[in-house]
Amino acid sequence: MRFFQEDKDIFNILSEAISEGILVVDEHQNIVATNSPMEHMFGYEKDELKGQNLNILIPQNYHQKHVGHYDGYFAESSQRKMAEGRKLSGVKKNGEEFYVEIGLNPFHIYDKVYIMAIVMDVTKRIESENVIRELNEHLEDKIKQRTKALRDSVAQLTKEVRLRIEAESQAKIALQKEKELNELKTKFLSMVSHEFKTPLSSILTSSMLLGKYTEGEQQPKRDKHINTIKGTVRNLNGILNDFLSIERIDSGKIDYKFAKFNLSKVFNEILYDANMTLKSGQKIQFPDDIDEYVIAQDEKIFKLILSNIIGNAIKYSPENSTIFIEVAFKENNNFLFTVRDEGIGIPKEDQKHIFSRYFRAQNALITQGTGIGLNIVKSHVEDLGGTISFESELEKGSVFKIELPNKTKS
């Protein structure tokens, strides 16, 4: 409790600055701090929740299960979204239950572990999803009815069999495309919300903790949180750049600018950026003769392509692994770039979709990502007159090969 007693004013200023509810509990599930959105959400007066057990906010029939879940999570102490994929309920002071979404962030203060929960009331969203699901079911019934009507008409009008079949086929395709588009939009909005909210929660938590370390000997702790914020902002910037790239690709607004440059220059820049994300013991091995290669291409897009492939190799490879980069100049005046990792690999059943926009392999879902990077890379490579291919084996790694023309004659 000493942390919250000594720094109560700072915590109040930071916690009241956001609209979501904030709840902090200790290892015994005792509530040690809340903000006003949290109190208002559950119908309590100011400071009324402090000192209460966490069970006061959990429906009675979930109490026994929650004890096991909490002990398991407390032992792991990892930042994550609580019970992802399941609907969670909270209980207000008046006994009313409602749906909530909870993000958990553990932190240590004075050798004690606390859990910060960011709580949102998602009742309206759940109700909207139920309405959408009912509308979709109704739409599917209408599709079935329409398909049956079309088939009956074909049987009755034998002279128009061919035309009716074509019309039915076109209708099915149009309806399927519309359904896929709606699903894609829903998936996109959900992905964007998650990809931005999690990093922002991390920035908020690190910012709050950063202000606690004021002594000179606490500089390593300050540096740790500063680096967390820098890395998170860098990831957010990468996500935004990916979205901007998609818009430019789809609108055909990309104006490629070709010029000669040394491969070593771009590779050094990629290596510098990659060092920020390398895991413990990871290393990147470049060709020894990289200084000898000069290519004529769009330097900015070339860097984007290789950075994405190398970034994926780092992200999906374990600690103490090596990412191997190879470069070869072919007789057809093309350059062949090979990136090989020792990572988790891509499941065989997912490989045919790996370049599809927003697609993510089943074994990569727990790792942060948007599922648009490889789609952007493939679009740029093909626009530049090149090709991209890969081979992958589960739990053994992947090999990506990119062949790009040397634009010396353009």
Side-chain angles (χ1 to χ4, degrees), residues 127-161:
E127 292 174 349
S128 297
E129 291 175 350
N130 292 336
V131 171
I132 292 173
R133 185 175 62 253
E134 292 176 0
L135 290 174
N136 285 337
E137 291 173 354
H138 179 65
L139 177 60
E140 291 176 356
D141 289 340
K142 290 182 67 176
I143 293 173
K144 291 177 182 178
Q145 295 171 9
R146 183 175 179 182
T147 301
K148 184 178 183 301
L150 287 171
R151 288 176 176 169
D152 292 342
S153 297
V154 168
Q156 295 174 6
L157 304 172
T158 54
K159 292 182 180 180
E160 300 180 7
V161 168

Side-chain angles (χ1 to χ4, degrees), residues 244-258 296-298 301-302 304-305 357 374-388 402-407 410:
L244 290 174
S245 294
I246 283 181
E247 191 278 331
R248 287 194 291 267
I249 290 172
D250 289 345
S251 63
K253 295 180 180 178
I254 299 180
D255 181 19
Y256 294 105
K257 296 178 174 59
F258 301 107
Q297 263 293 343
D298 186 309
I301 299 301
F302 174 78
L304 182 150
I305 291 170
R357 189 172 297 178
L374 286 177
N375 178 264
I376 292 173
V377 166
K378 187 173 187 293
S379 297
H380 281 310
V381 168
E382 292 178 347
D383 286 347
L384 293 171
T387 60
I388 180 170
I402 300 170
E403 185 169 337
L404 289 173
N406 193 22
K407 295 287 187 176
S410 298

Side-chain angles (χ1 to χ4, degrees), residues 328-340:
F329 184 67
K330 304 179 67 176
E331 293 180 357
N332 61 356
N333 200 39
N334 287 0
F335 277 90
L336 179 63
F337 302 93
T338 303
V339 179
R340 177 165 57 88

Side-chain angles (χ1 to χ4, degrees), residues 175-280:
L175 288 169
Q176 183 62 30
K177 286 184 177 180
E178 182 177 354
K179 186 177 179 180
E180 290 175 355
L181 180 60
N182 287 334
E183 291 175 352
L184 188 61
K185 288 180 179 178
T186 300
K187 184 178 179 181
F188 173 76
L189 291 174
S190 175
M191 179 269 295
V192 170
S193 175
H194 178 267
E195 290 300 319
F196 277 84
K197 194 164 194 66
T198 300
L200 289 174
S201 297
S202 177
I203 291 174
L204 174 62
T205 302
S206 295
S207 299
M208 293 174 61
L209 296 177
L210 190 59
K212 312 306 173 188
Y213 303 121
T214 58
E215 303 299 329
E217 63 272 15
Q218 294 178 315
Q219 185 61 40
K221 294 183 178 180
R222 287 196 292 271
D223 291 340
K224 175 183 177 182
H225 292 296
I226 289 173
N227 289 332
T228 296
I229 294 173
K230 287 181 178 178
T232 304
V233 171
R234 189 180 298 106
N235 289 337
L236 286 172
N237 187 58
I239 293 173
L240 289 173
N241 286 336
D242 283 347
F243 290 143
L244 290 174
S245 294
I246 283 181
E247 191 278 331
R248 287 194 291 267
I249 290 172
D250 289 345
S251 63
K253 295 180 180 178
I254 299 180
D255 181 19
Y256 294 105
K257 296 178 174 59
F258 301 107
K260 289 185 178 181
F261 57 88
N262 292 319
L263 284 180
S264 59
K265 173 181 178 294
V266 175
F267 274 54
N268 287 334
E269 292 174 359
I270 293 174
L271 181 60
Y272 178 81
D273 294 338
N275 283 333
M276 303 293 184
T277 58
L278 284 174
K279 299 173 186 174
S280 176

